[in-house]
Amino acid sequence: MTIRHSRFPHRRRVALAMVVALALIGAACADDDEDTAAATDATGSDDNGTADIAAFCDARVQLEREFNADQPNVEAVTALLEDLEASAPSDLAGNASGLAQVLATAAESGGDPTEDPAFGENIAPIDEFALGECGYETVEVTGVDYAFEGLPETIPAGTTGFRFTNDGAEPHVLVLFRYNEGETAELTDLLAFPEEELAQHLTFVGATFAEPGSAGFAELEPGHYAAI
């Protein structure tokens, strides 16, 4: 099974970026024959005994899922932020608290948390920790003008972390769609449909923007994906 990727048409790129502005999720392809999630083997606590690494990692990933929804569930977000703060390693406690303030406000207002500088300042060290310590499959992807380098054709299904680096001259975003069941059309043909019809063929999974320190985490089911 292969992952298909393409330059996103300019007329639709801005509109989609507005839709996914709350996401920092990456893109990849889950193997149809592999449905075993990558195990999170990060356990234990830090020196002060308060950190629960597995809970911290899970809260980070579940927050991603909530903010990929059309409208985050405020109660769910509140509970996850409490888990994130309670389980944070001591050296990330301040970042967890700062991120919680930004995301709580965004969940309540429906605003874009990435517009607050505190979002990037606090999520970057959290994501670097998660990439190194959570035990998830990790994929390094580079964006150039206009292609992806390092994006594998297949990866195991399960939770995967993505570090997206920009080596091009322009800003880049990597957007992931999952082909709907039974869909066989070529990606370039699907992108010719009006935007309102895309949901009949492709399901949005998430996106990651190529900014320093940015990363994303996706729970991928077995299937066929397209990266744009």
Side-chain angles (χ1 to χ4, degrees):
M1 190 207 72
T2 59
I3 186 167
R4 306 179 186 186
H5 41 94
S6 167
R7 178 179 178 179
F8 202 75
H10 179 73
R11 65 184 177 85
R12 196 172 290 130
R13 179 170 59 182
V14 174
L16 181 65
M18 292 174 64
V19 173
V20 304
L22 302 186
L24 279 180
I25 205 164
C29 178
D31 192 330
D32 289 320
D33 299 323
E34 176 60 69
D35 59 2
T36 302
T40 302
D41 56 9
T43 57
S45 61
D46 66 352
D47 291 341
N48 64 16
T50 60
D52 181 341
I53 303 307
F56 184 74
C57 295
D58 184 65
R60 170 62 185 88
V61 172
Q62 296 307 318
L63 281 166
E64 188 109 35
R65 173 182 288 181
E66 283 297 328
F67 277 90
N68 276 328
D70 290 336
Q71 177 61 45
N73 181 301
V74 176
E75 291 185 2
V77 168
T78 299
L80 288 169
L81 292 175
E82 290 175 353
D83 290 344
L84 188 78
E85 291 188 87
S87 60
S90 57
D91 58 347
L92 291 176
N95 297 116
S97 178
L99 182 64
Q101 293 179 34
V102 175
L103 294 184
T105 299
E108 288 280 359
S109 67
D112 180 356
T114 65
E115 294 180 354
D116 188 334
F119 175 82
E121 294 169 2
N122 288 296
I123 202 168
I126 288 173
D127 283 351
E128 281 303 309
F129 176 89
L131 288 169
E133 304 297 334
C134 288
Y136 301 137
E137 184 85 13
T138 300
V139 176
E140 303 275 351
V141 184
T142 300
V144 297
D145 303 335
Y146 290 90
F148 299 128
E149 295 178 349
L151 190 64
E153 291 188 349
T154 63
I155 63 170
T159 303
T160 302
F162 300 87
R163 182 183 284 111
F164 188 36
T165 303
N166 185 358
D167 276 355
E170 298 184 30
H172 287 288
V173 58
L174 188 155
V175 184
L176 177 66
F177 293 97
R178 189 176 192 274
Y179 278 70
N180 292 347
E181 192 69 29
E183 183 62 65
T184 60
E186 290 293 325
L187 179 60
T188 51
D189 294 334
L190 294 178
L191 294 179
F193 284 104
E195 188 170 348
E196 60 272 12
E197 295 182 20
L198 277 180
Q200 300 174 26
H201 308 274
L202 300 170
T203 299
F204 169 70
V205 177
T208 183
F209 297 85
E211 298 176 352
S214 66
F217 301 88
E219 295 179 272
L220 302 178
E221 299 177 358
H224 187 185
Y225 290 76
I228 299 171

